[in-house]
């Protein structure tokens, strides 16, 4: 498997890195403090094509492969994990599933504006009593004459307030269990659709995370994704691809922390010489770099397998498991290398450490990834 990057992938990497440094870095501490979702910056990301990277040009997307997408995610997350998760949800969890399984009408109405960034999407699976367990849906969608009546609550929803359309997973026929689950495109503004409280989070604070509530919301039948009962399979297939995006985000957070640590180690002096000349610091930097590179290879492998149409489920789970654990470890070491300066916001590593933790949680905890890997190994 060749991981040498061609001109197109290098151009994507450079464009994402330039945008992150020049547009996202200024004001990032203030956005984190204020939990401010900057719509102007998000709009710029859409204009640059970051929200529909893998979408076919037929629907206004970039027509790029998964590898190009994860390269861009890594570069954005090096600087701003909040922007990276907004981008990841729109690309992996909304656009990908809609293009692969949606009708032509759904694609024209929703995918085209989602790919351009004119519209932001949200993926609604988690519930107060069901995290990533798509089989335990308490949100219901009861079939009526010309619509489905949607009732329930979804929480931890990224882009919850700023999204224009949500992919909602709901139980239509409880007797059929997972075969009675469906996925629906639900527009904001429908009667009974209420955006609840904004979560006050430890990390990725500049992305908006809300509870969404549905009370007798009438969803047109034409907004159902796929055949009746396809929702569980839709959610699982979407989450498999989503894990690659989260792994890339974790990789970027780790890489950004390492960049800052390397720079600081060269500049900070103790006992008359840069701390980079102390063996203890050299050991830390060496191990950080090695673990980041191993995570990058796992992420790239999962992306390549997906692009080649091969089974990537285990590779995606491995990439997500390893990269998220490495992100947490590397950011902790980065704070340690910075010493007291690492504990203050000015040096950025404390924010990256807070941002890293969520990568071990969303798209399934580390324990869920291990179950996925074990299931694939024991097939």
């Amino acid at each position: 498997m060749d991981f040498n990057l061609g001109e197109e992938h290098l151009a994507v990497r450079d464009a994402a890195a330039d945008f992150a440094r020049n547009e996202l870095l200024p004001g990032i501490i203030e956005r984190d403090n204020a939990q401010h979702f900057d719509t102007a910056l998000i709009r710029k990301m859409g204009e640059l094509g970051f929200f529909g990277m893998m979408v076919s040009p037929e629907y206004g997307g970039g027509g790029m492969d998964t590898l190009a997408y994860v390269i861009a995610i890594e570069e954005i997350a090096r600087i701003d994990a909040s922007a990276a998760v907004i981008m990841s949800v729109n690309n992996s969890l909304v656009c990908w599933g809609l293009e692969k399984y949606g009708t032509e009408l759904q694609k024209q109405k929703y995918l085209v504006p989602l790919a351009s960034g004119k519209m932001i999407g949200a993926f609604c699976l988690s519930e107060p009593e069901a995290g990533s367990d798509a089989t335990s849906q308490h949100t219901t969608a009861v079939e009526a004459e010309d619509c489905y009546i949607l009732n329930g609550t979804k929480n931890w929803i990224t882009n919850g307030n700023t999204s224009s359309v949500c992919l909602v997973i709901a139980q239509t026929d409880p007797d059929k269990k997972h075969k009675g689950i469906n996925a629906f495109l639900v527009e904001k503004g429908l009667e009974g659709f209420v955006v609840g409280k904004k979560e006050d989070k430890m990390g990725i604070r500049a992305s908006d995370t809300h509870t969404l509530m549905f009370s007798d919301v009438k969803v047109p039948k034409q907004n159902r994704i796929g055949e009746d009962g396809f929702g569980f399979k839709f959610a699982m297939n979407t989450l498999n691809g989503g894990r690659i995006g989260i792994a890339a985000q974790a990789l970027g957070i780790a890489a950004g922390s390492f960049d800052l640590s390397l720079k600081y180690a060269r500049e900070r002096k103790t006992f008359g010489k840069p701390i980079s000349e102390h063996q203890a610091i050299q050991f830390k930097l060496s191990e950080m770099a090695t673990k980041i590179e191993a995570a990058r290879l796992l992420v790239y492998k999962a992306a390549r397998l997906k692009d080649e149409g091969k089974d990537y489920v285990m590779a995606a789970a491995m990439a997500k498991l390893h990269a998220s654990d490495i992100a947490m470890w590397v950011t902790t070491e980065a704070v340690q290398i910075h010493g007291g300066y690492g504990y203050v916001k000015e040096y950025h590593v404390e924010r990256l450490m807070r941002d890293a933790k969520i990568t071990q949680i969303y798209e399934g905890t580390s324990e869920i990834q291990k179950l996925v890997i074990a299931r694939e190994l024991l097939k």
Side-chain angles (χ1 to χ4, degrees), residues 132-154:
S132 297
D133 181 6
T135 64
S136 300
Q137 297 298 299
H138 289 80
T139 297
T140 60
V142 177
E143 188 173 2
E145 185 176 343
D146 59 349
C147 65
Y148 285 89
I149 308 299
L150 189 66
N151 283 281
T153 300
K154 297 291 184 179

Side-chain angles (χ1 to χ4, degrees), residues 347-366:
Y347 285 77
H348 297 287
V349 288
E350 65 84 29
R351 170 177 47 80
L352 289 166
M353 181 180 176
R354 289 186 284 107
D355 290 343
K357 186 59 189 175
I358 193 61
T359 66
Q360 292 180 311
I361 298 171
Y362 53 23
E363 300 300 319
T365 62
S366 296

Side-chain angles (χ1 to χ4, degrees), residues 75-91:
E75 294 305 321
I76 297 295
R78 277 179 187 258
I79 302 296
D80 189 343
S82 293
V85 72
I86 297 165
M87 174 181 167
S88 178
V89 167
N90 204 74
N91 277 279

